[in-house]
Amino acid sequence: MIMFILRRCLQAALVLAAVSFVSFAVFRYVGDPVSQMVGVDATAEQREQIRHDLGLDQPFYAQFGRFVAGAVQGNFGLSLKQGRPVGELMRERVPATLELSFVSGALAVLVGVPLGVVSAIWRRSWLARAAMALSLLGISLPTFFIGVVLILVFGVEAGWLPSFGRGETVALGNGWSTGLLTLDGWRHLLLPAITLALFQLALIIRLVRGEMLEVLRSDFIHFARARGLSSFSIYFRHALRNALVPVVTIIGLQLGSIIAFALVTETVFQWPGMGLLFAQAVAFADVPVMAAYLCLIALVFVTINLAVDLLYLLIDPRVRSKI
Amino acid sequence: MSQPVLEVRDLKVEFVSPRADRPPLQTLRGVSLDIAAGEILGLVGESGAGKSLTGAAVLGLLAGGGRISGGEIRFSGQRIDRLPEAEIRVLRGSRIGAVFQDPMTALDPLMTVGEQLVETIRTHRRLSRRQARDHAASLLDSVGVPAAARRLSQYPHQFSGGMRQRVVLALAMAGEPDLLIADEPTTALDVSVQAQVLALFRELCDARGTAVMLVTHDMGVVAEICDRVGVMYAGRIVEIGSVDDVLERPAHPYTEGLLRSIPALDAPREPRLWQIPGAMPRPAAVPEGCAYHPRCPRAQEICRRGNTPLLGVSMRDVACHFPNRSWSSTVSIGRSSAAEARP
């Protein structure tokens, strides 16, 4: 068991190393940050001077070495655009993104799993039909479009909800702030959270429904009926638990992609999270910010994967006995 | 004889097609049988003859649009074919138990064997968790699972195939049923384990007086543990009687054909295995008259028309106009030779 966890941690570290290398290497080619930093009338000597000050004239491996050495200490260098430490910029933005992502994820799971179960058990009910229609919309409509429509309907036409920014936040100290403690914060959070959740929600409904239908056809459910168990016990004690085994994996992975894909939603709603920071950094070829963002996303994915693996041990006794 | 535990009279089952323009498929076309307490009735026949379907109909577990369209099922004298789901569910697992073919997939993989036993026991009897667990251990013990108390906390995948089938049997016996429907209970097991599980069936049946409907296609299994046997063909019983009578002295040409197609160990090797010509008709294309007539060597004009009723001939019931009556005079040669004839 301990060996299993250690092995997974080692794999996670290797993945992070690979991602940091790739992200660092790729961003060498997105553009020349120096030309963005200086005016058009800067002389060649001035440009060379800046290049030298930033260490951009050193060979690639030396730059990468410096990047990694700093990164493991949480030091990603200075933003080329804002001149502030990248770590500090990130710390300001992380709470907003995490808040948005977790509320979206919770929304998708709390609404998606029950709807999936209902549409598997009572396949012909109106609720099942409505859930399937909703999931079709969620799967096929692009996120930015959903966001724009929600802004138009609830923000502009009805005027019920704000469509911009994060609203009133409460500082928790240590650079963390939250909008979850104020009504205004929640009002701002609602539209972006729904926008971000809709695709995941649709996916979870379909996944849970499919898995439930599969499990309900299986021999042990048939035998459970022959044992005279109540429908409630058959559906929720036996069928749902078995259906959730693969669903947990997908939900875990999707939580990672929610954080990553928050970028689009954050841009549409001008949500001051990491995604928006990244989008702005790309426009400026702000390499340290971009690299730090990618490394952070990779860290999130790797951590979630690890958590899913461990969760698997908890729910499936067959996996437990194999390691 | 006292009242049979199970009486099935002219049972008809049809499957409604999801497409409205198609007529329902008649899959059981009038099945009649009785099972007395402590008796094991074997149901044999080719795949699709309706053996499993008969068991499922008795359990009220017809799936995929199947419904009882005629006849009646009586359990201890009470009609159960029209009971609402809530009432038949109370019978299921408590007074009518079931064992299915594949013990590898019949148990919930995420739940310990003990939890599944306790859950079943507590569905049918008012017992505390603690009492139910003790009862579960004694049930496992009674089906021959060694170290029963310790194995309660193990998961199904930690049991071998034979042990799992014992667990399934323990689950089926949890409500101390009067009738056990066993659908191919040994087909998925190794031959050596098969014999043990069959012996266990016989033992439980004798000790508790449980009536058993044993669905199988293995004549060896029938010869080994059944008291009586019903041979099914195309949704009907074509011959039913004691195992000795039917297996030793078959009267219906289909039973004869079925027994002849079992290769015997001691017979000289033939260049090709004997088989009944043709195939059993699909439910949608059952011919008029006796369903077996297109494959029957004795078929006459009368076989192509009308109904062929089950009639008593030489100690058993046969649905045939030309049953083999030559056995009436022969002396019984005992049950053992039938057992030897199995593959």
Side-chain angles (χ1 to χ4, degrees):
Chain A
M1 179 68 111
I2 294 192
M3 275 313 289
F4 171 80
I5 295 173
L6 281 179
R7 207 163 57 230
R8 297 319 297 246
C9 287
L10 188 69
Q11 284 172 0
L14 285 177
V15 169
L16 281 180
V19 169
S20 66
F21 179 78
V22 169
S23 64
F24 192 77
V26 165
F27 292 141
R28 301 280 91 187
Y29 305 105
V30 294
D32 181 10
V34 174
S35 59
Q36 302 266 4
M37 296 169 77
V38 298
V40 279
D41 50 353
T43 63
E45 287 90 59
Q46 283 173 316
R47 285 166 188 265
E48 234 13 81
Q49 184 60 40
I50 292 173
R51 215 175 281 280
H52 181 74
D53 291 347
L54 291 172
L56 294 179
D57 56 348
Q58 291 172 13
F60 174 77
Y61 58 85
Q63 290 188 38
F64 182 63
R66 228 162 18 109
F67 171 75
V68 171
V72 293
Q73 298 166 38
N75 177 10
F76 287 91
L78 296 180
S79 159
L80 299 182
K81 181 188 174 198
Q82 309 194 28
R84 294 170 57 203
V86 174
E88 198 181 295
L89 284 176
M90 284 288 177
R91 228 180 354 263
E92 284 171 15
R93 301 300 192 101
V94 164
T97 295
L98 286 187
E99 229 168 77
L100 176 62
S101 303
F102 280 107
V103 170
S104 294
L107 194 69
V109 172
L110 293 181
V111 178
V113 172
L115 277 183
V117 171
V118 164
S119 42
I121 298 177
W122 297 284
R123 262 188 297 174
R124 293 179 206 290
S125 68
W126 65 266
L127 190 59
R129 288 166 202 266
M132 290 317 285
L134 176 76
S135 75
L136 195 64
L137 278 182
I139 294 270
S140 29
L141 292 180
T143 306
F144 72 88
F145 181 75
I146 295 170
V148 168
V149 168
L150 286 182
I151 289 177
L152 186 68
V153 174
F154 294 101
V156 179
E157 294 294 328
W160 293 337
L161 292 167
S163 57
F164 178 91
R166 210 177 158 203
E168 196 182 322
T169 58
V170 177
L172 294 176
N174 221 351
W176 278 79
S177 63
T178 176
L180 297 181
L181 294 176
T182 65
L183 182 65
D184 190 53
W186 276 101
R187 278 165 48 83
H188 279 83
L189 183 59
L190 206 54
L191 287 186
I194 291 175
T195 306
L196 188 54
L198 208 56
F199 178 80
Q200 312 298 338
L201 175 68
L203 198 72
I204 290 175
I205 291 177
R206 287 182 170 259
L207 193 69
V208 170
R209 177 178 181 271
E211 289 297 332
M212 274 294 276
L213 288 176
E214 184 80 30
V215 172
L216 285 174
R217 272 197 297 270
S218 64
D219 278 0
F220 71 86
I221 292 298
H222 193 54
F223 186 55
R225 283 190 209 283
R227 285 194 271 148
L229 301 187
S230 68
S231 301
F232 179 85
S233 172
I234 288 172
Y235 289 142
F236 296 98
R237 269 172 73 89
H238 295 279
L240 182 59
R241 264 180 69 173
N242 278 277
L244 283 185
V245 174
V247 171
V248 165
T249 320
I250 306 286
I251 289 179
L253 295 181
Q254 289 303 315
L255 188 62
S257 63
I258 284 182
I259 295 176
F261 285 112
L263 196 152
V264 175
T265 308
E266 286 181 6
T267 309
V268 172
F269 288 91
Q270 289 297 299
W271 187 261
M274 291 185 298
L276 193 60
L277 182 70
F278 178 76
Q280 289 161 352
V282 169
F284 196 78
D286 196 345
V287 176
V289 173
M290 288 191 284
Y293 174 77
L294 269 210
C295 289
L296 200 66
I297 293 296
L299 182 68
V300 166
F301 264 93
V302 164
T303 311
I304 288 174
N305 267 342
L306 196 62
V308 168
D309 278 346
L310 296 181
L311 213 56
Y312 237 76
L313 290 182
L314 212 65
I315 52 179
D316 195 335
R318 287 165 296 187
V319 182
R320 223 178 299 155
S321 68
K322 278 199 193 92
I323 59 164
Chain B
M1 197 170 73
S2 63
Q3 186 183 43
V5 175
L6 180 72
E7 298 162 90
V8 176
R9 288 287 166 271
D10 199 29
L11 178 67
K12 293 187 172 107
V13 167
E14 62 183 23
F15 277 78
V16 182
S17 164
R19 284 176 51 181
D21 55 330
R22 296 224 181 127
L25 278 182
Q26 304 293 332
T27 44
L28 287 190
R29 302 180 303 122
V31 171
S32 301
L33 54 85
D34 289 345
I35 311 180
E39 181 181 64
I40 302 184
L41 172 77
L43 274 186
V44 295
E46 287 168 72
S47 306
K51 313 175 300 261
S52 300
L53 209 53
T54 307
V58 173
L59 284 166
L61 284 177
L62 290 171
R67 66 171 185 219
I68 294 172
S69 54
E72 57 180 65
I73 304 170
R74 283 178 188 276
F75 174 72
S76 302
Q78 183 202 1
R79 266 194 88 163
I80 59 166
D81 50 302
R82 300 233 170 108
L83 283 185
E85 169 63 22
E87 285 175 47
I88 185 96
R89 191 171 68 72
V90 174
L91 286 181
R92 268 203 308 262
S94 63
R95 301 193 59 200
I96 307 179
V99 174
F100 296 131
Q101 176 169 354
D102 192 354
M104 305 315 263
T105 54
L107 300 169
D108 186 334
L110 300 187
M111 225 183 244
T112 64
V113 163
E115 284 171 322
Q116 300 189 46
L117 275 164
V118 165
E119 166 192 55
T120 313
I121 292 165
R122 283 175 40 109
T123 304
H124 303 296
R125 297 171 63 177
R126 292 180 163 275
L127 288 180
S128 73
R129 226 157 245 294
R130 168 105 224 120
Q131 288 170 315
R133 205 168 165 85
D134 291 343
H135 186 53
S138 69
L139 269 174
L140 267 196
D141 192 52
S142 72
V143 294
V145 174
R150 187 174 56 79
R151 303 212 76 176
L152 282 181
S153 50
Q154 292 189 343
Y155 289 91
H157 71 267
Q158 291 165 297
F159 287 71
S160 67
M163 281 298 151
R164 276 198 221 185
Q165 195 61 304
R166 286 171 193 266
V167 172
V168 168
L169 192 55
L171 280 164
M173 300 301 282
E176 292 177 12
D178 303 318
L179 172 66
L180 191 61
I181 310 249
D183 192 345
E184 308 260 12
T186 56
T187 308
L189 302 177
D190 290 341
V191 180
S192 55
V193 182
Q194 272 187 17
Q196 295 169 4
V197 172
L198 287 176
L200 183 60
F201 265 91
R202 186 76 251 182
E203 218 173 277
L204 290 174
C205 184
D206 290 343
R208 305 187 187 203
T210 315
V212 179
M213 179 194 287
L214 183 75
V215 172
T216 180
H217 55 250
D218 188 337
M219 289 294 182
V221 169
V222 172
E224 193 141 332
I225 69 159
C226 291
D227 299 300
R228 294 195 308 133
V229 58
V231 180
M232 292 194 72
Y233 186 80
R236 292 195 68 189
I237 287 184
V238 293
E239 178 163 7
I240 184 167
S242 79
V243 166
D244 290 353
D245 286 323
V246 174
L247 295 196
E248 298 289 319
R249 300 174 287 281
H252 195 283
Y254 177 64
T255 317
E256 288 180 88
L258 210 54
L259 290 168
R260 215 185 136 188
S261 26
I262 301 170
L265 274 180
D266 49 357
R269 241 175 212 251
E270 291 169 64
R272 288 193 64 168
L273 289 174
W274 191 85
Q275 52 183 4
I276 306 175
M280 195 173 68
R282 287 173 292 114
V286 176
E288 206 192 327
C290 169
Y292 188 61
H293 82 254
R295 304 170 78 183
C296 181
R298 300 207 285 271
Q300 303 283 329
E301 197 47 42
I302 185 176
C303 302
R304 299 181 221 286
R305 280 177 281 107
N307 205 359
T308 322
L310 261 179
L311 294 174
V313 174
S314 327
M315 314 289 289
R316 89 290 307 270
D317 291 336
V318 184
C320 182
H321 295 296
F322 307 102
N324 186 343
R325 293 173 193 271
S326 62
W327 306 116
S328 313
S329 53
T330 46
V331 187
S332 168
I333 46 173
R335 194 161 149 174
S336 54
S337 56
E340 278 161 21
R342 76 194 146 103

